[in-house]
Amino acid sequence: MKGLIFTSFLSYIEEQFGLKFLDQMLDTVDVKSSGIYTTVGTYDHQELLKYIVHINSISKHEIPIMVEDFGYYLFTKLSNEYPKLIKQFDNSLDCIYHIDQTIHRNVRKIHLNAELPNMDAKFNDTKDQLILSYHSKRPFMYLAKGLIHGCIDYYNDDISVKMIDLSNGNSNKAKFILQ
Amino acid sequence: MIDENTLLKKKLEREIKARRQAELLLEEKSDELYDTLYNVSKSEALLQTALSSMQEGFLLTDQNLKVLLVNSQLITIYPQYAQFMRVGMNLNEQFHFFIKHPAYLNMLEEDLKQCSFEIKLDNSQIIAVHVNRNENNIIVSTHKDISQEKLIISEQQQTILKLLQAEKMEHIGKMASSVAHDFNNIIAAIKGYTSFLKEDLPDDASLHNSVDKIQEASERAQEMVKNILRFSKHSKPKLEKIDIINLINETITLLKPNIPDNISLKLNLINKAIEVNANATQLIQVFINLIKNTINAAEENSCKISISYELSDQIDLNQDSDNALQFMPLDAYHTSAGLHVFNDKCIKINYHDNGPGMIKDTMDHIFEMYFTTHNSKQGTGLGMYSVATTIIEHNGGIKIYSKPKFGTYIEIVLPMMVSNHTSVFRSEFPPITDRLYTNNKSRILIIDDNQEVGLFIQQTLKRNKVNSVYLDSAEQGLREILNEPDRWRIIICDQKMPNIFGLQILKTIRSQNINTPFILTSGYIEEYKMNPEIELVDQLIPKPINIELLLKTVNKYIK
């Protein structure tokens, strides 16, 4: 998983729970990277899962809610880091529709080994409903949900999101209906 | 309790460590980047080599017609536009013949992926252009100068048209000549019988006057026919020593550009000179006609032509050949023309195609003038007529085997140089009649396919107390001579008869040591004067027949 996700996650924790909480988390959770992340590096996604499980164990925050909230935060972070990528679209549905075709394609060009989730987006005939099928090796469908919400709010669109969990409890496969 | 400063210090330490890690990673990436750049420059050099080794000009632009890549050939093709063909330049109005071409604009409008068209430049250069457009609207085009090819094709078409025209004119000439010959025979009869009439008439001036008018009119008609013959006379082909194997190979080379891909040729011609006495132009036309017939019959279907030859001292086309039976079923139809039995050195050329074959009706009429199974564009109905005529004129023979679905097998036999063969003729075309106009004491044999002329000669002789036998079939005439060579004291024979000519009869009987005086009559006397066999003739009598000359000649030999 790209380092940007980890650096964003640490910022998120610091903003949400404070530097002291972040420090304790990094001291407590035993990970290979020792909590040192750089945006140009790539790290094991299990480290992110360990942090989430740790937070859940001490704060009783629901994991799906926390991951979705981080997804929302991550979109804001990405839009700040890569404004050009986001600004080429007029609205959130267009942006989400082009994630796989444009954004993921460009990510693959820069990072040859990037393991990206499969995203298959289809508009209905009237182009006011978008169905997005998400399938990943990793259990991050709530992260995707948060990103979608972040995107909709970024464009100030009035769009409802319905997520159908198709993962059998693994949180890695879902269908999103946006309209 | 950890105070805030400690937390910040730890955070700072993490960030410094992360920065070091990032620096190390970037250093690694920079090595990778260097390798990548090195590989890119190598690929670029390869690309340039590939581009400059292309025969066509290559142009790559983006959707705004900004030049992204060109090769040197493109500049060679459009030297006057070289300044616009540099990477980074935009193709503008100067290049309108390309970017405003209707086919190019249509490709953009219809959202097509490719198009092809030809550009005609001001200096009459013709450029073939092929354009491809990919999903990112990158436009790749190749440009090839085809001016030379176009010129060659145009010249070839002109030559073919001229040849066709010449062929048509030749056949019209032959037809006129043939009609004039028939008229000659009719005029001969009118003139002859008028002279009998004049002799037999009582001394009544008014009747003599009418007969004189008939004679004058027939003289004028004879003059007119002479003019037509002079006009339409096709020169007798000059025969010379040629290597027939080389000739077939040259014919194939000549035809190759016009042989479609569905036709394959297999030549089994060992490179050995085989000399025959022939007219090269006419023989080339024979093989062209055979191959053209195969191509037309095959249409779009694949078809194999094989040509081989064999040498022999004895060939009898009356017998089915073993070679033919390898390819054709026993019940295949067959037809033939020309000589059939060859007892001297000769070459047999075997032509086989596995095309659709012919039905019996086609085989029955194949050598007839104007007989064709094709539409008017494909066939004139003169091809196989001309093949048979040429083979006969070369003292050869042709036999065709064919059956639908089994293809066609053709044998052409030509005598080799120093030919002294004895040939017995067998005709596939039965004569109209085989009547014998004779009494048993007659010792003069008249052979003429035209009954008016034949009976007139017989009548003329009879009026002078000379009995004769008249046959209107050349084949029967030859058989009669060969069967009873000592019976005949004089042979009066027409030259141009169906299937076998007078000179061929003469050559055959002389080769059998039959030395009976031979009087040759012909309406085409000028054409045969150069023929070497003409020396064997005892007397030439042109048509219309001069009675005085005929009687004088007969008297000379009967004594």
Side-chain angles (χ1 to χ4, degrees), chain B residues 163-196:
Chain B
L163 275 173
L164 280 175
Q165 191 60 22
E167 200 183 349
K168 273 186 188 167
M169 288 307 290
E170 193 192 331
H171 288 298
I172 288 169
K174 273 185 185 171
M175 194 173 69
S177 165
S178 166
V179 170
H181 182 251
D182 288 344
F183 262 89
N184 234 350
N185 289 330
I186 295 166
I187 294 162
I190 294 171
K191 273 185 74 179
Y193 286 109
T194 312
S195 69
F196 295 164

Side-chain angles (χ1 to χ4, degrees), chain B residues 297-422:
Chain B
E299 294 177 344
E300 306 287 312
N301 302 315
S302 73
C303 180
K304 197 165 97 181
I305 296 172
S306 60
I307 304 176
S308 62
Y309 75 91
E310 56 196 279
L311 303 179
S312 177
D313 288 336
Q314 189 158 35
I315 290 176
D316 183 357
L317 287 181
N318 296 314
Q319 307 296 322
D320 288 342
S321 81
D322 292 342
N323 277 350
L325 294 176
Q326 276 181 18
F327 296 101
M328 305 305 298
L330 278 170
D331 61 345
Y333 313 121
H334 53 81
T335 186
S336 54
L339 299 174
H340 283 67
V341 180
F342 298 82
N343 288 326
D344 251 332
K345 277 194 172 172
C346 52
I347 176 169
K348 184 161 71 127
I349 297 144
N350 306 311
Y351 178 99
H352 174 243
D353 75 47
N354 63 353
M358 288 180 274
I359 57 171
K360 188 171 184 306
D361 189 52
T362 305
M363 292 285 282
D364 287 346
H365 298 97
I366 192 164
F367 295 127
E368 288 175 15
M369 198 184 224
Y370 305 122
F371 174 76
T372 178
T373 57
H374 306 296
N375 58 36
S376 58
K377 276 186 186 170
Q378 273 186 317
T380 55
L382 295 168
M384 287 309 289
Y385 166 78
S386 146
V387 166
T389 312
T390 304
I391 300 298
I392 290 169
E393 282 179 354
H394 283 76
N395 298 319
I398 177 168
K399 185 166 185 180
I400 304 181
Y401 301 77
S402 192
K403 198 177 177 192
K405 296 182 185 170
F406 285 90
T408 301
Y409 188 86
I410 302 174
E411 294 174 325
I412 292 174
V413 184
L414 291 170
M416 286 166 64
M417 289 295 279
V418 200
S419 160
N420 188 25
H421 60 265
T422 305

